Amino acid sequence: MKDYAGTGELLRLALRLDRIRASVWIVGMVIFTVASASANNDLYATADDRATFAESVESNPALLALGGRAFDLTTTGGINAYQLIAFMGTLIGLMSILLVVRHTRLEEESGRAELAGSAVLGRKAWLASALLLTVGVNIVIAVLTALGLIGTGLSAGGSIAYAVGVAGIGVFFAFVGGLTAQLTDSSRSATGIASAVLGASYLLRAAGDAASGTDGGPMANLTWLSPIGWAEMARPWADERWWVLLVFVVAAAALVAAIGTLVDRRDIGSGVLKPKLGPVSATASLRSPLALAWRLQRGSLLGWGLGFLVVGAAFGALAEGTVSIAEDNPDIDQLLRDLGGGGDIVDVFLATIISLTAVIVGAFAVQSALRLSAEEAGHRADPVLTTPVRRLAWAGSHLTVAAVGTVLMLGLAGAAAGLTHGLNSGDLGEVGRVTGAALAQVPAVWTLIGVCALLFGLLPRYTAVSWAVLLVALVIGQFGDLLKLDQTVLNLSPFSHVPDLPGAGFEATPLLLLLALAAAFTGAGLVGLRRRDMA
């Protein structure tokens, strides 16, 4: 047990460091889940309402891919399972990855783990404490969520199955984060690899769920390849299958065994995958702050870009199918219009997908812009700034990569969606139209980059608030109407001010105002950076 010596002390330290961050995650996820369930209970209070909703969703591949597998939409519990499991499972998976990597690979990357290791501290203590913290947070979320759902009037069995399933997703990705933290010597790479696994899980779930709405077949079984799908297959509020939850136990045990093997094969501060040494002197293409920023972030750009290419192509392929379904069922037509505005039903669907994609691009933008904070905290900015490179040029280079990357991500997603939709509809002119609609979201995402710059320049200790801003924008954009939020609250999200293209009419004024706001935030942040002390 000497490998775990000091685990308790490190766990108490982690709790102290993350007492606010963990509390925000717990409170936010529980309140959102319970509030959504309560709203659904009121919205679908009668059997006729639920029957209408079920008819709208059960045979619609697009809605199943967006929401989740539908088992029993004739009950409010089944509707809540359909609407919440995939979204909340993805969110709790991301939370778990961030927490574990923060307390493992990031501690080694900063040198704190090596310093602490000079005392009486076991080799696996950091990893064990991080996993215990994250699993504990997931358990607290599960308990409070189950109690909250029962309090809304939903059955205890379904509420517990839902809470355990979603927490199982979180625990699974906690171990995935622990595994990727052993593979690489960079916290960003560890987070990126684990997030790619999360993204692949979501896509497998979406493909399987979409197939379940047609003729099923082998494609519908893709859901079983996704941890998010396992929570769906437990069938909360629909004749629960408790044995499915044991899949999480088996998968977690396999990941623990893999992590234990990898920990023993590496030194502290290094990863199993050894990085290649670069040349002694930099080429001409690396002799500028912008070139360095590009070099540091090109792997992330490539990973995100491929992801958006696949997502755009997948959802674009589903667009044409909404026409015949909406013609057969006017309720589907109305449901989609509630989500994506007016116009042709295909345009409404595309507007909904583009809006959601833009928020996800916002996650890329925040991650890219906050590379500034990581470089400063890791003292990697110091060697650069001791050269003739000025602070503004150094900071501006990373913000430029984030801004240009935003255009590329939205462009790729829009072009892929337009191409697959155009091939299905026989009109390749859709490529330009859908791409333009996606690029209209750029000012909203740039506003998030401006928030990152503002916080980095004026309040560097609170740059994590940028993620909170993104989360608020996501909740407002995707669930604002369901939660019956006031218009004043809805207007807090920059994405609320972007026209619902390609169906709605183009309005330049709100986009120009967003650009001005982004520029003001960025300018204020850069001024603050010039005047403050660097870490």
Side-chain angles (χ1 to χ4, degrees), residues 57-308:
V57 171
E58 287 175 339
S59 61
N60 188 336
L63 292 180
L64 291 171
L66 284 173
R69 185 68 65 98
F71 285 109
D72 185 7
L73 299 183
T74 61
T75 66
T76 53
I79 292 174
N80 283 313
Y82 157 75
Q83 291 189 343
L84 293 174
I85 289 178
F87 177 77
M88 298 307 297
T90 304
L91 200 59
I92 202 171
L94 179 61
M95 176 204 73
S96 297
I97 291 170
L98 294 175
L99 284 177
V100 170
V101 173
R102 167 178 162 80
H103 290 288
T104 53
R105 176 50 58 189
L106 186 59
E107 293 296 330
E108 294 187 36
E109 191 176 5
S110 66
R112 290 189 292 268
E114 186 175 7
L115 179 63
S118 61
V120 182
L121 196 64
R123 178 179 178 81
K124 299 176 182 178
W126 281 102
L127 176 62
S129 63
L131 291 173
L132 286 172
L133 169 69
T134 308
V135 171
V137 170
N138 278 279
I139 291 174
V140 172
I141 290 175
V143 171
L144 295 179
T145 297
L147 293 175
L149 291 174
I150 293 171
T152 65
L154 295 171
S155 67
S159 300
I160 293 172
Y162 168 86
V164 173
V166 171
I169 298 171
V171 171
F172 176 86
F173 281 103
F175 288 114
V176 170
L179 181 67
T180 60
Q182 313 310 311
L183 295 177
T184 175
D185 61 355
S186 165
S187 60
R188 289 178 60 84
S189 297
T191 302
I193 296 171
S195 298
V197 176
L198 177 61
S201 298
Y202 186 89
L203 289 176
L204 287 169
R205 191 276 320 158
D209 290 349
S212 72
T214 54
D215 58 352
M219 284 292 291
N221 293 324
L222 289 176
T223 303
W224 283 102
L225 299 178
S226 168
I228 302 173
W230 303 341
E232 291 182 342
M233 290 302 185
R235 300 181 60 157
W237 300 292
D239 192 18
E240 293 83 10
R241 294 178 177 176
W242 296 100
W243 64 267
V244 175
L245 299 176
L246 294 177
V247 178
F248 287 109
V249 178
V250 175
L255 287 171
V256 169
I259 292 170
T261 301
L262 295 179
V263 169
D264 295 330
R265 294 186 178 183
R266 68 177 187 86
D267 295 325
I268 292 180
S270 66
V272 174
L273 304 177
K274 305 296 181 183
K276 296 188 296 183
L277 296 177
V280 176
S281 58
T283 62
S285 61
L286 276 178
R287 293 174 184 171
S288 73
L290 183 58
L292 176 60
W294 154 251
R295 174 66 180 80
L296 292 173
Q297 300 203 44
R298 66 181 183 181
S300 176
L301 284 164
L302 178 61
W304 280 99
L306 289 174
F308 284 117

Side-chain angles (χ1 to χ4, degrees), residues 313-403:
F315 283 121
L318 295 172
E320 191 65 22
T322 59
V323 176
S324 58
I325 297 174
E327 288 176 349
D328 295 337
N329 191 336
D331 293 320
I332 290 181
D333 185 283
Q334 186 57 48
L335 180 62
L336 287 174
R337 293 184 190 283
D338 290 341
L339 293 171
D344 180 80
I345 190 62
V346 174
D347 288 344
V348 172
F349 174 76
L350 290 172
T352 303
I353 296 302
I354 288 171
S355 176
L356 177 60
T357 301
V359 178
I360 302 174
V361 172
F364 155 78
V366 171
Q367 182 193 56
S368 180
L370 291 187
R371 183 63 187 255
L372 289 169
S373 183
E375 293 295 301
E376 181 184 9
H379 302 289
R380 294 183 294 273
D382 297 340
V384 177
L385 296 177
T386 55
T387 69
V389 175
R390 296 181 178 273
R391 289 187 182 187
L392 296 188
W394 168 73
S397 64
H398 285 281
L399 296 176
T400 299
V401 170

